[in-house]
Amino acid sequence: MKFIAKIALGFMLPIAAENSAESSVVNVYSFREAKLINPIIERFSASTGIKVNVVSGKADKLLKRLIQDGENSFADVLLTSNVVRLEKAKQLGLLQAIESDYLKQHISPELRDPEGFWYGLSIRARAIFYAKDKVNASDIHRYEDLTSEAWHNKICTRKGSHTYNRSMLASFIALHGEKWAGQWTKGLVNNLAMRPTGGDRDQLRNVNRGKCDLAIANSYYFGTMSQSASLQDRQVYANLGVIWPEQLGSGTHVNISGAAITNAAKNKENAQLFIEFLLTEQAQTMYSNINHELPIRQDIQASELVRSWGDFKADIDSVAKLYQHLDAADRIIDSTGW
């Protein structure tokens, strides 16, 4: 097949497909709101001439829809958060593997499926946040420190059953074993200031309101609050600090947002081009600046805002192992009432 270069991307598009219906479109299921990825989509379409149709929704609802639609699915690409969802989609036969030297070149093996069924796009860290006027950050170095009696009734988290916490606990099991993870969870629950409710931003707000001194949350929520239209949320950002735990050990727990081509994809070539575009320097930079996550590419810096929180070591080795420890994590969460 002959190819024509798309210089702006450094990719090649098939000449034979230039005038076909399939070559002009790619259909995407995205967990991100359209407004957050529209700038990237516009760049992609301008560079390739390929129209991107996006269905946005909650990650779990999109996965459920993909399951229900089966081979009749509209989607070519699945953009979702958490490696657990990507691996679940793979195990259910909803994805197809793709071979891409470009993706392999720019994504560490730990952050992509070894068989090519899914690829990481950005890194999200689950950090510890503290009230600057109450907590000395040097007193906390590890997640294990959260089980100390010093923090009794002083910690806020969302429910343990949420996928963020399930994944974090699964990483602890991968690193330390089920017994250690169970003891950690018991200690954490004993130190909670209130019954877990709400999302990560609510936990950060609770710290600012004085309901607790510490909270566990994904760092990108902290970033969004810095630019919120709400003065109260901007005050949350000003009054809280971030701690990257485990810097002398395995590193801070991280997860990914990622992409995959669906098994039902009708526009596979365009789907692969779209995913590869999300790994270009311009797209990775935009991802970081818009979403306050870390670029998956090691050769690209995080945004200035994220860098202002300090460099940190991330536990990327556990990412691909999370799915296999989820059942054990669920048992611990249920037994401890987190």
Side-chain angles (χ1 to χ4, degrees):
M1 183 179 289
K2 296 181 179 179
F3 291 88
I4 182 170
K6 291 293 183 180
I7 302 300
L9 288 175
F11 299 154
M12 310 293 282
L13 279 178
I15 284 180
E18 286 282 305
N19 297 319
S20 72
E22 287 192 354
S23 74
S24 62
V25 67
V26 62
N27 302 312
V28 178
Y29 277 5
S30 172
F31 78 105
R32 295 196 191 278
E33 296 178 42
K35 65 181 181 181
L36 295 179
I37 60 172
N38 274 344
I40 297 173
I41 288 173
E42 290 170 1
R43 290 281 186 92
F44 173 75
S45 294
S47 299
T48 64
I50 298 172
K51 179 182 179 182
V52 182
N53 298 314
V54 179
V55 174
S56 298
K58 296 290 186 180
D60 287 331
K61 289 184 177 180
L62 289 176
L63 184 56
K64 183 177 180 180
R65 179 171 174 178
L66 201 60
I67 294 170
Q68 292 174 338
D69 291 347
E71 290 299 319
N72 297 319
S73 177
F74 160 87
D76 300 310
V77 173
L78 175 66
L79 298 182
T80 194
S81 61
N82 203 305
V83 68
V84 167
R85 293 191 181 97
L86 290 162
E87 188 61 26
K88 181 178 180 180
K90 174 189 173 182
Q91 297 299 327
L92 291 174
L94 301 175
L95 310 178
Q96 60 177 296
I98 55 175
E99 275 294 325
S100 171
D101 291 337
Y102 185 81
L103 296 179
K104 290 179 180 179
Q105 175 186 350
H106 291 297
I107 305 174
S108 297
E110 298 88 349
L111 302 174
R112 53 180 164 86
D113 178 56
E115 298 177 299
F117 281 87
W118 52 261
Y119 293 86
L121 296 177
S122 61
I123 297 173
R124 34 186 50 203
R126 197 146 185 78
I128 299 170
F129 295 86
Y130 66 97
K132 291 179 180 178
D133 62 344
K134 295 181 180 179
V135 176
N136 183 344
S138 63
D139 290 338
I140 301 174
H141 301 282
R142 306 168 300 168
Y143 291 106
E144 189 175 5
D145 292 334
L146 298 179
T147 66
S148 167
E149 291 184 4
W151 306 115
H152 185 61
N153 292 335
K154 293 182 179 181
I155 301 174
C156 288
T157 75
R158 71 195 306 162
K159 290 182 179 179
S161 58
H162 190 275
T163 187
Y164 297 157
N165 286 332
R166 292 173 70 216
S167 298
M168 180 178 67
L169 192 58
S171 76
F172 294 168
I173 295 170
L175 289 165
H176 307 297
E178 193 169 340
K179 182 179 179 180
W180 186 99
Q183 292 173 339
W184 180 87
T185 306
K186 288 179 183 178
L188 175 72
V189 170
N190 187 57
N191 284 345
L192 292 181
M194 61 183 69
R195 185 177 180 84
T197 184
D200 279 8
R201 275 174 286 212
D202 295 308
Q203 314 315 315
L204 301 178
R205 291 170 184 138
N206 285 336
V207 174
N208 192 52
R209 292 170 184 147
K211 294 184 177 181
C212 43
D213 294 350
L214 301 169
I216 300 174
N218 283 355
S219 58
Y220 60 86
Y221 287 116
F222 191 53
T224 61
M225 296 178 96
S226 74
Q227 300 170 353
S228 173
S230 165
L231 174 59
Q232 290 181 333
D233 278 353
R234 295 199 302 274
Q235 288 175 335
V236 170
Y237 181 81
N239 294 336
L240 269 61
V242 59
I243 296 170
W244 305 116
E246 310 296 344
Q247 294 309 285
L248 298 178
S250 58
T252 299
H253 168 64
V254 295
N255 210 311
I256 61 170
S257 73
I261 297 180
T262 69
N263 196 42
K266 310 301 189 298
N267 307 290
K268 182 177 179 180
E269 289 182 350
N270 294 346
Q272 182 165 334
L273 282 173
F274 180 69
I275 294 173
E276 287 173 342
F277 177 79
L278 297 178
L279 267 293
T280 60
E281 182 175 355
Q282 59 180 316
Q284 284 281 292
T285 300
M286 292 172 73
Y287 245 109
S288 179
N289 290 334
I290 294 171
N291 300 313
H292 311 296
E293 294 176 315
L294 298 159
I296 208 85
R297 285 179 51 168
Q298 295 182 354
D299 60 335
I300 296 177
Q301 282 191 319
S303 69
E304 183 177 352
L305 177 69
V306 174
R307 294 201 306 273
S308 72
W309 305 336
D311 293 333
F312 72 97
K313 177 183 177 183
D315 175 25
I316 65 171
D317 290 337
S318 296
V319 172
K321 304 172 185 176
L322 300 183
Y323 186 78
Q324 67 193 67
H325 295 294
L326 271 187
D327 288 344
D330 289 341
R331 287 195 299 270
I332 291 171
I333 290 166
D334 290 342
S335 66
T336 56
W338 184 11

